[in-house]
């Protein structure tokens, strides 16, 4: 470990103590997952997993996962790949490649896939960033959709969640859910850069960017802001969703800046499992009230670098099976930061619910 890394390590320990950010996560039971299939090994690198279960077998399988590779932090490789798991028991650790869904665009890149089983079909969503078809519509980002029936794949060309702002994004890591007979989308609402700073001359901006990098590492100030979870409603089935509002989670630690999320239901309550920060992240839970007017974060994280014994923790997904919560999260070995490996953690839902008491 370099001198700079050592200093940052101990400085972060000081901040964790100061702001009561736990270094230990509650999950201790982890299994390494594997992706099996005839694709290049770099495409088995896994981030942005989304795992879903179908009560009725869909195309012969109950367990499905979509993910994107991100080997060596190459955004050009973030092209969604669909997998299935064998059996109808607990969520699998072996995933078989079913289909590479979306090719690499000519310019820009893909990211953040999500899935929803609805009315016997599988809907798959993914974000595009600065791709040609978005730029033609004067958009910077947008979430697209395809529908898999038992026999065909239907792709839609209109973005469901459009984003026209260059530095603010209301649809990061979108999750699509069906509540009370209506579908809606929940996504992270982020400010990536201060718009005012982008207008100054390049030389001054370069110096300020370097200064802000230091203040961000030290937890003093960052251009990047989180406004919580954006709620998108669908008014008409043939029209894009409409942004309604953003809700910031209550009891969110001051060192957290929520980055990516997924959602799951349990006993008629909607939960979100959240990546706390873009880097040096924890995996946390939050729970919605009935009318989605309040989101409360749990007292302790589920996964941390310490508890999983890895680094580079990234966007989680979660499903409840029986009385257990299964959490899938990608992470890196400290000796190899180029590769993202998928892990499955397990915790009893009785332990989860204690976090909100």
């Amino acid at each position: 470990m370099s001198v700079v890394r050592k200093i940052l390590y101990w400085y972060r320990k000081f901040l964790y103590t100061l702001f009561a950010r736990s270094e230990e996560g509650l999950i201790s039971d982890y299994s390494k997952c594997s992706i099996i299939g005839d694709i290049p090994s770099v495409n088995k690198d896994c981030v942005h997993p989304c795992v879903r279960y179908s009560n009725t077998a869909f195309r012969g399988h109950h367990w499905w996962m979509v993910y994107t590779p991100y080997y060596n932090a190459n955004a050009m490789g973030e092209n969604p790949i669909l997998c299935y798991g064998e059996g109808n028991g607990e969520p699998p650790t072996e995933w078989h490649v079913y289909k590479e869904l979306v090719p690499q665009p000519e310019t820009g890149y893909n990211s953040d896939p999500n899935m929803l089983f609805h009315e016997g079909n599988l809907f798959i969503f993914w974000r595009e960033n600065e791709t040609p078809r978005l730029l033609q519509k004067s958009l910077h980002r947008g979430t697209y959709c395809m529908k898999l029936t038992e026999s065909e794949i239907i792709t839609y060309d209109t973005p469901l969640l459009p984003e026209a702002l260059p530095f603010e994004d209301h649809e990061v890591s979108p999750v699509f859910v069906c509540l009370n007979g209506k579908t809606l989308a929940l996504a992270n609402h982020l400010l990536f850069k201060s718009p005012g700073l982008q207008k100054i001359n390049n030389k001054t901006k370069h110096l300020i960017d370097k200064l802000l990098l230091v203040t961000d590492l030290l937890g003093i100030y960052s251009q990047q802001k989180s406004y919580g979870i954006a709620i998108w409603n669908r008014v008409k089935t043939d029209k894009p969703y409409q942004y309604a509002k953003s809700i910031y989670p209550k009891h969110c630690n001051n060192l957290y800046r929520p980055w990516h999320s997924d959602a799951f239901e349990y006993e008629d309550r909607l939960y979100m499992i959240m990546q706390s920060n873009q880097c040096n992240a924890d995996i946390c839970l939050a729970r919605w009230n009935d009318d989605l007017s309040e989101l409360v974060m749990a007292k302790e994280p589920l996964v941390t670098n310490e508890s999983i014994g890895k680094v580079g923790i990234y966007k989680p997904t979660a499903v409840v099976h029986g009385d257990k919560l299964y959490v899938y999260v990608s992470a890196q070995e400290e000796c190899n930061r180029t590769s993202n490996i998928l892990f499955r953690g397990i915790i009893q839902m009785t332990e989860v619910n204690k976090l909100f008491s």
Side-chain angles (χ1 to χ4, degrees):
M1 185 183 295
S2 68
V3 174
V4 174
R5 282 187 176 272
K6 283 183 179 179
I7 292 171
L8 281 174
Y9 173 80
W10 288 108
Y11 180 75
R12 287 197 184 107
K13 276 190 169 291
F14 166 72
L15 288 181
Y16 281 29
T17 302
L18 183 64
F19 290 98
R21 176 175 170 178
S22 176
E23 290 192 75
E24 292 292 339
L26 293 181
I27 295 179
S28 58
D29 182 359
Y30 294 97
S31 299
K32 185 178 179 179
C33 298
S34 58
I35 295 172
I36 302 165
D38 187 20
I39 58 174
S41 60
V42 294
N43 286 354
K44 296 179 183 179
D45 185 89
C46 179
V47 297
H48 300 128
C50 174
V51 172
R52 296 293 185 259
Y53 174 79
S54 176
N55 288 317
T56 304
F58 178 78
R59 296 194 176 197
H61 304 283
H62 292 270
W63 289 105
W64 291 86
M65 177 178 75
V66 65
Y67 73 96
T68 63
Y70 192 51
Y71 184 77
N72 201 23
N74 179 14
M76 298 302 101
E78 286 192 82
N79 305 309
I81 296 174
L82 182 64
C83 298
Y84 65 85
E86 300 282 9
N88 192 23
E90 71 172 14
T93 56
E94 287 189 355
W95 294 96
H96 301 264
V97 173
Y98 187 79
K99 185 177 180 60
E100 295 181 75
L101 295 171
V102 186
Q104 181 179 329
E106 292 179 11
T107 57
Y109 62 95
N110 301 310
S111 66
D112 301 6
N114 192 252
M115 294 191 297
L116 174 67
F117 279 106
H118 185 55
E119 297 179 342
N121 300 309
L122 175 57
F123 292 85
I124 298 176
F125 311 88
W126 72 97
R127 276 178 18 111
E128 293 189 10
N129 303 264
E130 305 279 352
T131 58
R133 61 177 173 175
L134 283 171
L135 296 176
Q136 286 175 1
K137 297 177 183 289
S138 298
L139 298 172
H140 288 274
R141 301 170 193 87
T143 297
Y144 287 89
C145 173
M146 67 173 62
K147 179 172 76 172
L148 276 68
T149 69
E150 285 287 351
S151 59
E152 61 180 338
I153 299 177
I154 303 166
T155 302
Y156 302 96
D157 291 327
T158 300
L160 296 180
L161 311 181
E163 180 57 78
L165 297 174
F167 306 117
E168 187 173 350
D169 195 345
H170 299 72
E171 45 102 55
V172 177
S173 185
V175 184
F176 290 79
V177 297
C178 186
L179 291 176
N180 303 318
K182 296 181 179 180
T183 58
L184 65 143
L186 305 168
N188 288 75
H189 180 183
L190 292 165
L191 177 70
F192 296 124
K193 296 180 180 180
S194 173
L197 288 177
Q198 310 315 308
K199 298 176 182 178
I200 61 180
N201 67 74
N202 287 337
K203 187 174 182 180
T204 305
K205 181 179 175 297
H206 180 72
L207 292 173
I208 292 176
D209 282 343
K210 285 191 173 295
L211 176 62
L212 290 176
L213 177 62
V214 174
T215 60
D216 193 5
L217 285 171
L218 297 177
I220 298 171
Y221 175 81
S222 174
Q223 290 188 76
Q224 190 187 98
K225 310 290 182 189
S226 171
Y227 301 116
I229 301 299
I231 300 174
W232 294 74
N233 295 317
R234 192 162 207 184
V235 179
K236 295 183 179 179
T237 56
D238 60 341
K239 299 291 184 181
Y241 288 62
Q242 292 184 356
Y243 168 71
K245 58 182 177 180
S246 296
I247 305 291
Y248 196 80
K250 294 178 66 175
H251 310 316
C252 185
N253 193 286
N254 288 332
L255 294 180
Y256 287 163
R257 196 186 307 143
W259 177 251
H260 283 17
S261 306
D262 192 22
F264 65 92
E265 291 184 73
Y266 178 69
E267 294 184 345
D268 298 323
R269 298 294 297 269
L270 183 65
Y271 294 74
M272 300 209 75
I273 185 161
M274 310 178 77
Q275 177 186 340
S276 67
N277 303 78
Q278 182 178 7
C279 303
N280 300 303
D282 298 335
I283 302 304
C284 305
L285 272 185
R287 188 169 68 184
W288 290 99
N289 64 351
D290 290 339
D291 64 358
L292 303 188
S293 63
E294 183 178 83
L295 180 64
V296 179
M297 187 168 279
K299 299 174 182 177
E300 299 176 58
L302 294 181
V303 185
T304 66
N305 288 330
E306 290 289 331
S307 65
I308 197 172
K310 312 293 177 186
V311 293
I313 294 173
Y314 214 71
K315 182 253 178 183
T317 186
V319 289
V320 177
H321 188 72
D323 58 355
K324 297 177 183 177
L325 178 66
Y326 292 79
V327 175
Y328 290 86
V329 62
S330 58
Q332 303 165 352
E333 301 287 356
E334 191 162 5
C335 60
N336 181 12
R337 300 299 298 265
T338 61
S339 180
N340 301 281
I341 303 165
L342 186 65
F343 293 88
R344 187 197 69 183
I346 307 174
I347 188 171
Q348 294 283 341
M349 279 304 297
T350 52
E351 295 301 309
V352 169
N353 284 327
K354 288 178 184 178
L355 297 173
F356 297 96
S357 58

Coordinates of all heavy atoms in Angstrom, one line a residue, residues 210-275:
K210 N -8.9 19.7 -10.2 CA -7.9 19.0 -9.4 C -8.1 19.3 -7.9 O -8.0 18.4 -7.1 CB -6.5 19.4 -9.8 CG -6.1 18.8 -11.2 CD -4.6 19.0 -11.4 CE -4.1 18.2 -12.6 NZ -4.2 16.7 -12.4
L211 N -8.5 20.5 -7.6 CA -8.7 20.9 -6.2 C -10.0 20.1 -5.7 O -10.0 19.6 -4.6 CB -8.9 22.4 -6.1 CG -9.3 22.9 -4.7 CD1 -8.2 22.6 -3.7 CD2 -9.6 24.4 -4.8
L212 N -11.0 20.1 -6.5 CA -12.3 19.4 -6.1 C -12.1 17.9 -6.0 O -12.8 17.3 -5.2 CB -13.4 19.7 -7.1 CG -13.9 21.1 -7.1 CD1 -14.9 21.4 -8.2 CD2 -14.5 21.5 -5.8
L213 N -11.1 17.3 -6.8 CA -10.8 15.9 -6.6 C -10.3 15.6 -5.2 O -10.7 14.7 -4.6 CB -9.8 15.5 -7.7 CG -9.4 14.0 -7.6 CD1 -10.5 13.0 -7.7 CD2 -8.3 13.7 -8.6
V214 N -9.4 16.5 -4.7 CA -8.8 16.4 -3.4 C -9.9 16.6 -2.3 O -10.0 15.8 -1.4 CB -7.7 17.4 -3.2 CG1 -7.2 17.3 -1.8 CG2 -6.6 17.1 -4.2
T215 N -10.8 17.6 -2.5 CA -11.8 17.9 -1.5 C -12.8 16.7 -1.4 O -13.4 16.4 -0.4 CB -12.5 19.2 -1.7 OG1 -13.1 19.2 -3.0 CG2 -11.5 20.4 -1.6
D216 N -13.0 16.1 -2.6 CA -14.0 15.0 -2.7 C -13.4 13.8 -1.9 O -14.0 13.1 -1.1 CB -14.3 14.6 -4.1 CG -15.5 13.7 -4.2 OD1 -16.1 13.4 -3.2 OD2 -15.8 13.2 -5.4
L217 N -12.1 13.5 -2.2 CA -11.4 12.4 -1.5 C -11.4 12.5 0.0 O -11.5 11.6 0.8 CB -10.0 12.2 -2.0 CG -9.8 11.6 -3.4 CD1 -8.4 11.7 -3.9 CD2 -10.2 10.1 -3.4
L218 N -11.3 13.8 0.4 CA -11.3 14.1 1.9 C -12.6 14.2 2.5 O -12.8 14.4 3.7 CB -10.5 15.4 2.1 CG -9.0 15.3 1.7 CD1 -8.3 16.7 1.9 CD2 -8.2 14.2 2.5
G219 N -13.7 14.1 1.7 CA -15.0 14.2 2.2 C -15.4 15.6 2.6 O -16.3 15.7 3.4
I220 N -14.8 16.6 2.0 CA -15.1 18.0 2.4 C -16.1 18.6 1.5 O -17.1 19.2 2.0 CB -13.8 18.8 2.4 CG1 -12.7 18.3 3.4 CG2 -14.1 20.3 2.6 CD1 -11.4 18.9 3.2
Y221 N -15.9 18.4 0.2 CA -16.9 19.0 -0.8 C -16.8 18.3 -2.1 O -15.7 17.9 -2.5 CB -16.6 20.5 -1.0 CG -17.5 21.1 -2.1 CD1 -18.8 21.5 -1.8 CD2 -17.1 21.2 -3.4 CE1 -19.6 22.0 -2.8 CE2 -17.9 21.7 -4.4 CZ -19.2 22.1 -4.1 OH -20.0 22.6 -5.0
S222 N -17.9 18.1 -2.7 CA -18.0 17.4 -4.0 C -19.0 18.1 -4.9 O -20.0 18.6 -4.5 CB -18.3 15.9 -3.9 OG -18.5 15.3 -5.1
Q223 N -18.6 18.2 -6.2 CA -19.6 18.7 -7.2 C -20.8 17.7 -7.3 O -21.9 18.1 -7.5 CB -19.0 18.8 -8.6 CG -18.0 19.8 -8.8 CD -17.6 19.9 -10.2 OE1 -18.3 20.5 -11.1 NE2 -16.4 19.4 -10.6
Q224 N -20.5 16.4 -7.1 CA -21.5 15.4 -7.2 C -22.5 15.5 -6.0 O -22.1 15.5 -4.9 CB -20.9 14.0 -7.3 CG -21.9 12.9 -7.7 CD -21.2 11.6 -7.6 OE1 -21.4 10.8 -6.6 NE2 -20.5 11.2 -8.7
K225 N -23.8 15.5 -6.3 CA -24.8 15.6 -5.3 C -25.9 14.5 -5.6 O -26.1 14.1 -6.7 CB -25.6 16.9 -5.3 CG -24.7 18.2 -5.3 CD -24.0 18.4 -4.0 CE -23.1 19.6 -4.0 NZ -22.2 19.8 -2.8
S226 N -26.4 14.0 -4.5 CA -27.5 13.0 -4.6 C -28.8 13.7 -4.1 O -28.8 14.3 -3.0 CB -27.3 11.8 -3.8 OG -28.4 11.0 -3.7
Y227 N -29.8 13.6 -4.8 CA -31.1 14.2 -4.4 C -32.1 13.0 -4.0 O -33.3 13.2 -3.9 CB -31.7 15.0 -5.5 CG -30.9 16.2 -5.9 CD1 -30.3 16.3 -7.2 CD2 -30.6 17.2 -5.0 CE1 -29.5 17.4 -7.5 CE2 -29.8 18.3 -5.3 CZ -29.2 18.4 -6.5 OH -28.4 19.4 -6.9
G228 N -31.5 11.8 -3.9 CA -32.3 10.7 -3.5 C -32.9 9.9 -4.6 O -32.3 9.7 -5.7
I229 N -34.1 9.4 -4.5 CA -34.8 8.5 -5.4 C -35.8 9.3 -6.2 O -36.8 9.8 -5.6 CB -35.4 7.3 -4.8 CG1 -34.3 6.5 -4.0 CG2 -36.1 6.4 -5.8 CD1 -33.2 5.9 -4.9
A230 N -35.7 9.3 -7.5 CA -36.7 9.9 -8.4 C -37.8 9.0 -8.7 O -37.6 7.8 -9.0 CB -36.0 10.4 -9.7
I231 N -39.0 9.5 -8.6 CA -40.2 8.7 -8.9 C -40.8 9.1 -10.3 O -41.0 10.3 -10.5 CB -41.3 8.8 -7.8 CG1 -40.8 8.4 -6.5 CG2 -42.6 8.0 -8.2 CD1 -41.7 8.6 -5.3
W232 N -40.9 8.1 -11.2 CA -41.4 8.3 -12.5 C -42.8 7.6 -12.7 O -42.8 6.4 -12.4 CB -40.5 7.8 -13.6 CG -39.2 8.5 -13.7 CD1 -38.1 8.5 -12.8 CD2 -38.8 9.4 -14.7 NE1 -37.1 9.2 -13.2 CE2 -37.4 9.8 -14.4 CE3 -39.3 9.9 -15.9 CZ2 -36.7 10.7 -15.2 CZ3 -38.6 10.8 -16.7 CH2 -37.3 11.2 -16.4
N233 N -43.8 8.3 -13.1 CA -45.1 7.7 -13.3 C -45.4 7.5 -14.8 O -45.0 8.3 -15.6 CB -46.2 8.5 -12.6 CG -46.1 8.6 -11.1 OD1 -45.8 7.5 -10.5 ND2 -46.2 9.7 -10.6
R234 N -46.2 6.5 -15.1 CA -46.6 6.3 -16.5 C -48.1 6.7 -16.6 O -49.0 6.0 -16.0 CB -46.4 4.9 -16.9 CG -46.6 4.7 -18.4 CD -46.0 3.4 -19.0 NE -45.6 3.6 -20.4 CZ -45.1 2.6 -21.1 NH1 -44.9 1.4 -20.6 NH2 -44.8 2.8 -22.3
V235 N -48.3 7.8 -17.3 CA -49.7 8.3 -17.4 C -50.4 7.5 -18.6 O -51.6 7.1 -18.4 CB -49.7 9.8 -17.7 CG1 -51.1 10.3 -17.9 CG2 -49.0 10.5 -16.6
K236 N -49.7 7.3 -19.7 CA -50.3 6.6 -20.8 C -49.3 5.5 -21.3 O -48.1 5.7 -21.3 CB -50.6 7.5 -22.0 CG -51.7 8.6 -21.7 CD -51.9 9.4 -22.9 CE -53.0 10.4 -22.7 NZ -53.3 11.3 -23.9
T237 N -49.9 4.3 -21.6 CA -49.0 3.2 -22.0 C -48.2 3.4 -23.2 O -47.1 2.8 -23.4 CB -49.8 1.9 -22.2 OG1 -50.8 2.2 -23.2 CG2 -50.5 1.5 -20.9
D238 N -48.6 4.3 -24.1 CA -47.8 4.6 -25.3 C -47.0 5.8 -25.3 O -46.5 6.3 -26.3 CB -48.8 4.7 -26.5 CG -49.8 5.8 -26.4 OD1 -50.0 6.3 -25.2 OD2 -50.4 6.3 -27.4
K239 N -46.8 6.4 -24.1 CA -46.0 7.6 -23.9 C -44.9 7.3 -22.9 O -45.0 6.4 -22.0 CB -46.9 8.7 -23.3 CG -48.0 9.1 -24.3 CD -47.5 9.8 -25.5 CE -48.6 10.3 -26.4 NZ -48.1 10.9 -27.7
P240 N -43.8 8.1 -22.9 CA -42.8 8.0 -21.9 C -43.3 8.2 -20.5 O -44.3 8.9 -20.3 CB -41.7 9.0 -22.3 CG -42.0 9.3 -23.7 CD -43.5 9.1 -23.9
Y241 N -42.6 7.7 -19.5 CA -42.9 8.0 -18.1 C -42.7 9.5 -17.8 O -41.8 10.1 -18.5 CB -42.0 7.2 -17.1 CG -42.4 5.7 -17.1 CD1 -42.3 4.9 -18.2 CD2 -42.8 5.1 -15.9 CE1 -42.6 3.5 -18.2 CE2 -43.1 3.7 -15.8 CZ -43.0 3.0 -17.0 OH -43.3 1.6 -16.9
Q242 N -43.3 10.0 -16.8 CA -43.1 11.4 -16.4 C -42.5 11.5 -15.0 O -43.0 10.8 -14.1 CB -44.5 12.2 -16.4 CG -45.1 12.3 -17.8 CD -46.3 13.1 -17.9 OE1 -46.8 13.5 -16.8 NE2 -46.9 13.4 -19.0
Y243 N -41.5 12.3 -14.9 CA -40.8 12.5 -13.6 C -41.8 13.3 -12.7 O -42.4 14.3 -13.0 CB -39.6 13.3 -13.8 CG -39.0 13.9 -12.5 CD1 -38.4 13.0 -11.6 CD2 -39.0 15.2 -12.2 CE1 -37.8 13.5 -10.4 CE2 -38.5 15.7 -11.0 CZ -37.9 14.8 -10.1 OH -37.4 15.3 -8.9
A244 N -42.0 12.7 -11.4 CA -42.9 13.3 -10.5 C -42.2 14.1 -9.4 O -42.4 15.3 -9.2 CB -43.8 12.2 -9.8
K245 N -41.3 13.4 -8.7 CA -40.5 14.1 -7.6 C -39.4 13.2 -7.1 O -39.3 12.0 -7.6 CB -41.5 14.3 -6.4 CG -42.1 13.0 -5.8 CD -43.1 13.3 -4.7 CE -43.8 12.1 -4.2 NZ -44.7 12.3 -3.1
S246 N -38.5 13.7 -6.3 CA -37.4 12.9 -5.7 C -37.5 12.9 -4.2 O -37.9 14.0 -3.6 CB -36.1 13.5 -6.1 OG -35.9 13.4 -7.5
I247 N -37.3 11.8 -3.6 CA -37.4 11.6 -2.2 C -36.0 11.2 -1.6 O -35.4 10.2 -2.1 CB -38.4 10.5 -1.8 CG1 -39.8 10.8 -2.4 CG2 -38.5 10.4 -0.3 CD1 -40.5 12.0 -1.8
Y248 N -35.5 12.0 -0.7 CA -34.2 11.6 -0.1 C -34.4 10.8 1.1 O -35.3 11.0 1.9 CB -33.4 12.9 0.3 CG -31.9 12.6 0.5 CD1 -31.1 12.5 -0.5 CD2 -31.4 12.4 1.8 CE1 -29.7 12.3 -0.3 CE2 -30.1 12.1 2.0 CZ -29.2 12.1 0.9 OH -27.9 11.8 1.1
P249 N -33.7 9.7 1.3 CA -33.9 8.8 2.4 C -33.6 9.4 3.7 O -32.6 10.0 3.9 CB -33.0 7.6 2.1 CG -32.0 8.1 1.1 CD -32.6 9.2 0.3
K250 N -34.5 9.2 4.7 CA -34.3 9.6 6.0 C -33.3 8.8 6.7 O -33.1 7.6 6.4 CB -35.6 9.6 6.8 CG -36.7 10.5 6.4 CD -38.0 10.3 7.2 CE -37.8 10.7 8.6 NZ -39.1 10.7 9.4
H251 N -32.5 9.4 7.6 CA -31.5 8.7 8.4 C -30.3 8.2 7.5 O -29.6 7.3 7.9 CB -32.0 7.5 9.2 CG -33.3 7.8 10.0 ND1 -33.4 8.9 10.8 CD2 -34.4 7.1 10.1 CE1 -34.6 8.9 11.3 NE2 -35.2 7.9 11.0
C252 N -30.1 8.9 6.4 CA -29.0 8.6 5.5 C -27.7 9.2 6.1 O -27.7 10.4 6.4 CB -29.3 9.1 4.1 SG -28.0 8.7 2.9
N253 N -26.7 8.3 6.3 CA -25.5 8.8 6.9 C -24.9 10.0 6.1 O -25.0 10.0 4.8 CB -24.4 7.7 6.9 CG -23.2 8.0 7.8 OD1 -22.4 8.8 7.4 ND2 -23.2 7.4 8.9
N254 N -24.3 11.0 6.7 CA -23.7 12.1 6.1 C -22.6 11.8 5.1 O -22.3 12.6 4.2 CB -23.3 13.2 7.1 CG -24.4 13.8 7.8 OD1 -25.5 14.0 7.3 ND2 -24.1 14.3 9.1
L255 N -22.0 10.6 5.3 CA -20.9 10.2 4.4 C -21.5 9.5 3.1 O -20.7 9.2 2.2 CB -19.9 9.3 5.1 CG -19.1 10.0 6.2 CD1 -18.2 9.0 6.8 CD2 -18.3 11.2 5.7
Y256 N -22.8 9.3 3.1 CA -23.4 8.6 2.0 C -23.8 9.6 0.9 O -24.3 10.6 1.2 CB -24.6 7.7 2.4 CG -24.2 6.5 3.2 CD1 -25.2 5.8 4.0 CD2 -22.9 5.9 3.2 CE1 -24.9 4.7 4.7 CE2 -22.6 4.8 3.9 CZ -23.6 4.1 4.6 OH -23.3 3.0 5.3
R257 N -23.7 9.1 -0.3 CA -24.2 9.9 -1.5 C -24.8 8.8 -2.4 O -24.1 8.3 -3.4 CB -23.1 10.6 -2.2 CG -23.5 11.7 -3.1 CD -22.3 12.3 -3.9 NE -21.3 12.8 -2.9 CZ -20.0 12.6 -3.2 NH1 -19.6 12.1 -4.3 NH2 -19.1 13.1 -2.3
P258 N -26.0 8.4 -2.2 CA -26.6 7.2 -2.9 C -26.4 7.3 -4.4 O -26.7 8.3 -5.0 CB -28.1 7.3 -2.5 CG -28.1 7.9 -1.1 CD -27.0 8.9 -1.2
W259 N -26.0 6.1 -5.0 CA -25.5 6.1 -6.3 C -26.3 5.2 -7.2 O -26.9 5.7 -8.2 CB -24.0 5.7 -6.3 CG -23.4 5.5 -7.7 CD1 -23.0 4.4 -8.3 CD2 -23.0 6.6 -8.6 NE1 -22.5 4.6 -9.5 CE2 -22.4 6.0 -9.7 CE3 -23.1 8.0 -8.5 CZ2 -22.0 6.7 -10.8 CZ3 -22.6 8.7 -9.6 CH2 -22.0 8.1 -10.7
H260 N -26.5 3.9 -6.9 CA -27.3 3.0 -7.7 C -28.2 2.2 -6.7 O -27.8 2.0 -5.6 CB -26.4 2.0 -8.4 CG -25.7 2.6 -9.7 ND1 -25.6 3.9 -9.9 CD2 -25.2 2.0 -10.7 CE1 -25.0 4.1 -11.1 NE2 -24.7 2.9 -11.6
S261 N -29.3 1.7 -7.3 CA -30.2 1.0 -6.4 C -31.0 -0.1 -7.2 O -31.0 -0.1 -8.4 CB -31.3 2.0 -5.8 OG -30.7 3.1 -5.2
D262 N -31.6 -0.9 -6.4 CA -32.6 -1.9 -6.9 C -33.8 -2.0 -5.9 O -33.7 -1.4 -4.8 CB -32.0 -3.3 -7.1 CG -32.9 -4.2 -7.9 OD1 -33.7 -3.7 -8.7 OD2 -32.7 -5.4 -7.8
A263 N -34.8 -2.7 -6.2 CA -36.0 -2.7 -5.3 C -36.5 -4.2 -5.3 O -36.3 -4.9 -6.2 CB -37.1 -1.8 -5.8
F264 N -37.2 -4.5 -4.2 CA -37.8 -5.8 -4.0 C -39.0 -5.6 -3.0 O -39.1 -4.6 -2.3 CB -36.9 -6.8 -3.5 CG -36.3 -6.6 -2.1 CD1 -37.0 -7.1 -1.0 CD2 -35.2 -5.9 -1.9 CE1 -36.5 -6.9 0.3 CE2 -34.7 -5.6 -0.7 CZ -35.3 -6.2 0.5
E265 N -40.0 -6.5 -3.1 CA -41.1 -6.5 -2.2 C -41.1 -7.6 -1.2 O -40.6 -8.7 -1.5 CB -42.4 -6.5 -3.1 CG -42.7 -5.3 -3.9 CD -44.0 -5.4 -4.6 OE1 -45.1 -5.3 -4.0 OE2 -44.0 -5.6 -5.9
Y266 N -41.6 -7.3 0.0 CA -41.7 -8.3 1.0 C -42.9 -8.0 1.9 O -42.9 -6.9 2.5 CB -40.4 -8.5 1.8 CG -40.5 -9.5 2.9 CD1 -40.6 -10.8 2.7 CD2 -40.5 -9.1 4.3 CE1 -40.6 -11.8 3.7 CE2 -40.5 -10.0 5.3 CZ -40.6 -11.3 5.0 OH -40.7 -12.2 6.0
E267 N -43.8 -8.9 2.0 CA -45.0 -8.7 2.9 C -45.6 -7.3 2.7 O -45.9 -6.5 3.6 CB -44.6 -8.8 4.4 CG -44.2 -10.3 4.7 CD -43.9 -10.4 6.2 OE1 -43.8 -9.4 6.9 OE2 -43.9 -11.6 6.7
D268 N -45.9 -7.0 1.4 CA -46.6 -5.8 0.9 C -45.9 -4.5 1.2 O -46.5 -3.5 1.3 CB -48.0 -5.8 1.5 CG -48.9 -6.9 1.1 OD1 -48.8 -7.4 0.0 OD2 -49.7 -7.4 2.0
R269 N -44.6 -4.6 1.4 CA -43.7 -3.4 1.6 C -42.7 -3.4 0.5 O -42.2 -4.4 0.1 CB -43.1 -3.4 3.0 CG -44.0 -3.4 4.2 CD -44.8 -2.1 4.3 NE -43.9 -0.9 4.5 CZ -43.6 -0.4 5.7 NH1 -44.0 -1.0 6.8 NH2 -42.9 0.7 5.8
L270 N -42.4 -2.2 0.0 CA -41.4 -2.0 -1.0 C -40.1 -1.6 -0.4 O -40.1 -0.6 0.4 CB -41.9 -1.0 -2.1 CG -41.0 -0.8 -3.2 CD1 -40.8 -2.1 -4.1 CD2 -41.5 0.4 -4.1
Y271 N -39.0 -2.3 -0.6 CA -37.7 -2.0 -0.1 C -36.8 -1.6 -1.3 O -37.0 -2.0 -2.4 CB -37.1 -3.2 0.5 CG -37.8 -3.7 1.8 CD1 -39.0 -4.4 1.7 CD2 -37.2 -3.5 3.0 CE1 -39.6 -4.9 2.9 CE2 -37.8 -4.0 4.2 CZ -39.0 -4.6 4.1 OH -39.6 -5.1 5.3
M272 N -35.8 -0.8 -0.9 CA -34.7 -0.5 -1.9 C -33.4 -0.9 -1.3 O -33.2 -0.7 -0.1 CB -34.7 1.0 -2.2 CG -36.0 1.5 -2.8 SD -35.7 2.9 -4.0 CE -35.0 2.1 -5.4
I273 N -32.6 -1.6 -2.1 CA -31.2 -1.9 -1.7 C -30.3 -1.0 -2.5 O -30.4 -0.9 -3.7 CB -30.9 -3.4 -2.0 CG1 -29.6 -3.8 -1.4 CG2 -31.1 -3.8 -3.4 CD1 -29.4 -5.2 -1.2
M274 N -29.4 -0.3 -1.8 CA -28.8 0.9 -2.3 C -27.2 0.8 -2.2 O -26.7 0.4 -1.2 CB -29.3 2.1 -1.6 CG -30.8 2.2 -1.6 SD -31.4 3.7 -0.7 CE -31.1 5.0 -2.0
Q275 N -26.6 1.2 -3.2 CA -25.1 1.5 -3.2 C -24.9 2.9 -2.6 O -25.4 3.8 -3.2 CB -24.5 1.3 -4.6 CG -23.0 1.6 -4.7 CD -22.5 1.6 -6.1 OE1 -23.2 1.1 -7.0 NE2 -21.4 2.2 -6.3

